[in-house]
């Protein structure tokens, strides 16, 4: 599939799921969204983190923010070094699970998913996307486990890759690293957002089955 067609398809899917998210929000039934996430979690075993790049309403809301900041040439803060560790990441996940249990056990009337979405937007207004996706988002932490070795994922064809580093620069979650024989994509962190594929001058990056 060409970059243009893939991008168009992604945008259509994002709009559909954002509309569904807003519909559930209007009907005060956002809890059903956890079913969609559950499907995305299991799907990550086969398709990678497609949920993050194509379905998640947070990522969909990030895109216009990124576009506006790019046009206005506004620079955001990088992820603070103190948070770049698994201890912080897993602590956030444990606290999130505890909060969910507390809300359920004490029957607290709180739309947790809505607050998380609003918080994610606030964080991304100040910090680069990497901070949210890799170190704060509890959903992303779970998805990173299920997508370590997916059946399909973003791959770099090393024979045509010239290691220009463009893909590494445009990746919003720093999931691409340079190796001696070319670039490599960490599928556990890759959002399948297609940004690297769209920018690769050698068309060396594809979404394909693992060899």
């Amino acid at each position: 599939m060409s970059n243009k067609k893939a991008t168009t398809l992604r945008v259509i899917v994002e709009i559909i799921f954002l509309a569904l998210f807003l519909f559930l929000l209007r009907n005060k039934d956002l809890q059903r969204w956890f079913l969609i996430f559950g499907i995305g979690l299991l799907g990550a075993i086969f398709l990678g983190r497609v949920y993050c790049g194509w379905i998640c309403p947070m990522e969909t809301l990030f895109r216009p923010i990124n576009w506006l900041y790019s046009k206005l040439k506004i620079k955001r803060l990088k992820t603070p070094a103190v948070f770049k560790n698994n201890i912080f990441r897993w602590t956030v996940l444990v606290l999130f699970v505890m909060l969910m249990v507390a809300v359920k056990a004490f029957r607290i009337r709180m739309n947790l998913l809505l607050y998380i979405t609003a918080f994610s937007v606030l964080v991304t207004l100040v910090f680069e996307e990497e901070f949210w996706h890799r170190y704060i988002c509890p959903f992303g932490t779970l998805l990173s486990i299920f997508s370590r070795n997916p059946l399909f994922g973003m791959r770099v064809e090393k024979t045509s890759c010239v290691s220009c580093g463009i893909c590494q620069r445009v990746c919003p979650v720093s999931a691409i690293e340079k190796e001696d024989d070319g670039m490599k994509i960490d599928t556990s962190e890759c959002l399948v957002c297609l940004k690297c594929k769209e920018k690769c001058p050698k068309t060396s990056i594809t979404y394909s089955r693992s060899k």
Side-chain angles (χ1 to χ4, degrees), residues 24-168:
L24 294 174
L25 173 62
R26 182 182 178 184
N27 288 275
K28 300 180 180 179
D29 195 19
L30 268 184
Q31 297 301 320
R32 291 184 182 275
W33 189 267
F34 285 103
L35 175 61
I36 296 174
F37 172 72
I39 295 172
L41 192 63
L42 293 176
I45 299 173
F46 306 98
L47 306 175
R49 293 174 60 170
V50 171
Y51 172 87
C52 291
W54 292 58
I55 297 173
C56 179
M58 301 174 202
E59 171 63 15
T60 304
L61 293 173
F62 292 168
R63 287 184 182 271
I65 295 174
N66 295 336
W67 178 84
L68 181 61
Y69 274 39
S70 175
K71 291 297 181 181
L72 297 177
K73 296 182 179 180
I74 298 175
K75 297 291 185 180
R76 284 174 285 191
L77 300 176
K78 293 186 177 297
T79 303
V82 68
F83 297 121
K84 287 188 174 184
N85 59 76
N86 286 329
I87 295 176
F88 174 73
R89 189 177 194 177
W90 284 99
T91 299
V92 172
L93 177 59
V94 170
L95 291 175
F96 172 72
V97 173
M98 291 174 62
L99 181 58
M100 283 187 64
V101 171
V103 168
K104 193 73 174 178
F106 296 102
R107 298 181 181 179
I108 301 173
R109 302 194 68 176
M110 175 190 294
N111 203 321
L112 196 57
L113 188 56
L114 176 60
Y115 284 108
I116 292 174
T117 302
F119 180 63
S120 73
V121 172
L122 290 175
V123 169
T124 308
L125 287 173
V126 180
F127 294 94
E128 292 181 352
E129 274 191 75
E130 178 195 43
F131 190 26
W132 174 261
H133 287 302
R134 290 194 65 156
Y135 303 104
I136 301 180
C137 181
F139 304 110
T141 298
L142 289 173
L143 283 160
S144 69
I145 299 170
F146 282 72
S147 59
R148 289 189 183 279
N149 295 292
L151 185 62
F152 288 86
M154 302 304 296
R155 317 284 179 188
V156 178
E157 182 55 58
K158 298 282 182 86
T159 56
S160 59
C161 175
V162 294
S163 299
C164 62
I166 292 176
C167 58
Q168 188 178 34

